[in-house]
Amino acid sequence: AQKVTQAQTEISVVEKEDVTLDCVYETRDTTYYLFWYKQPPSGELVFLIRRNSFDEQNEISGRYSWNFQKSTSSFNFTITASQVVDSAVYFCALSGVYQTGANNLFFGTGTRLTVIP
Amino acid sequence: KAGVTQTPRYLIKTRGQQVTLSCSPISGHRSVSWYQQTPGQGLQFLFEYFSETQRNKGNFPGRFSGRQFSNSRSEMNVSTLELGDSALYLCASSLDRSYEQYFGPGTRLTVT
């Protein structure tokens, strides 16, 4: 079975602080993909990153960075120097290529991030 | 490039009625997936269509159905609406399997 756990339900930080959102996943698939999406108050899910199970390289994109560790089944997301516009609900998601179909995304319950000015 | 569009954005229906939601994918994308988002169950996969064929299905009752047209546009239908069907229905498109999915703004359905 596929499962994604985002233990942090809500996080509040003051602007310019760094914040890390945790994501732990479970899958029996040997080939899988991990994703992060952002859902601002408007409701639309915004794609942030996709990572496949064979690529454990960390990635940095501007103020965003992702740390993928297969050994701990984690795919954590860090925002550096947070801004008010980062306030949103962030979802981690998993798709297993063989067991459940590559386009069937299993989402975590989301972490609501509030950045206080 | 235009994003994923969904119509209508808001709907209010009565229990027992049926509803059809529409989704136009990003140009060139052939895969369309549908998700239901509720406060209690979170985001759940409904089904995926590719080249007019249902390729994958989540754990939803048969009252939920969909189809895809030759231009990749997709519709989902919910028959015999129940109060629990009140949700945000999100459509996502992608080039094919395992590519990133881009989501539309959603249709918020309220069943009274």
Side-chain angles (χ1 to χ4, degrees):
Chain A
Q2 323 279 21
K3 186 179 178 183
V4 174
T5 301
Q6 295 180 254
Q8 305 150 308
T9 307
E10 293 192 36
I11 300 177
S12 290
V13 298
V14 176
E15 202 171 19
K16 297 184 184 172
E17 284 185 347
D18 299 347
V19 59
T20 295
L21 309 183
D22 298 333
C23 173
V24 174
Y25 64 92
E26 294 175 33
T27 180
R28 283 186 227 150
D29 255 305
T30 53
T31 303
Y32 53 90
Y33 290 84
L34 295 163
F35 304 80
W36 275 94
Y37 283 87
K38 171 183 179 180
Q39 189 174 42
S42 61
E44 187 167 339
L45 281 166
V46 178
F47 168 77
L48 295 176
I49 190 171
R50 176 186 68 135
R51 172 67 76 222
N52 75 52
S53 52
F54 299 109
D55 182 3
E56 285 191 73
Q57 272 195 326
N58 292 333
E59 179 153 341
I60 298 174
S61 176
R63 296 184 297 108
Y64 296 169
S65 62
W66 290 269
N67 183 349
F68 176 27
Q69 292 195 333
K70 261 174 115 166
S71 60
T72 56
S73 298
S74 65
F75 186 43
N76 296 337
F77 172 32
T78 297
I79 302 174
T80 303
S82 59
Q83 299 175 1
V84 172
V85 292
D86 296 327
S87 296
V89 181
Y90 290 85
F91 290 95
C92 179
L94 163 73
S95 72
V97 171
Y98 300 114
Q99 291 208 357
T100 49
N103 276 8
N104 177 354
L105 292 180
F106 286 82
F107 284 88
T109 50
T111 298
R112 181 178 298 278
L113 173 66
T114 302
V115 181
I116 303 164
Chain B
K1 215 178 207 182
V4 178
T5 58
Q6 291 186 245
T7 56
R9 294 292 310 279
Y10 302 91
L11 263 180
I12 299 175
K13 290 285 188 178
T14 305
R15 257 185 313 177
Q17 287 185 315
Q18 76 162 20
V19 67
T20 299
L21 313 181
S22 180
C23 171
S24 292
I26 292 171
S27 177
H29 286 192
R30 296 167 65 191
S31 168
V32 174
S33 300
W34 289 88
Y35 293 83
Q36 181 196 66
Q37 186 176 25
T38 60
Q41 300 299 315
L43 278 153
Q44 294 184 285
F45 172 78
L46 280 155
F47 30 64
E48 181 211 359
Y49 285 86
F50 183 86
S51 291
E52 302 178 66
T53 301
Q54 187 179 88
R55 188 157 69 174
N56 203 352
K57 190 178 190 311
N59 293 324
F60 278 82
R63 299 185 298 106
F64 292 83
S65 62
R67 59 177 175 167
Q68 186 180 35
F69 302 95
S70 58
N71 61 359
S72 294
R73 192 176 70 84
S74 176
E75 289 181 346
M76 70 163 276
N77 184 77
V78 187
S79 62
T80 319
L81 284 166
E82 300 177 359
L83 294 178
D85 297 333
S86 294
L88 180 66
Y89 290 89
L90 292 161
C91 165
S93 77
S94 65
L95 282 169
D96 198 344
R97 280 192 170 100
S98 306
Y99 285 84
E100 53 271 26
Q101 295 183 42
Y102 292 92
F103 284 79
T107 295
R108 186 163 295 281
L109 172 65
T110 302
V111 182
T112 61

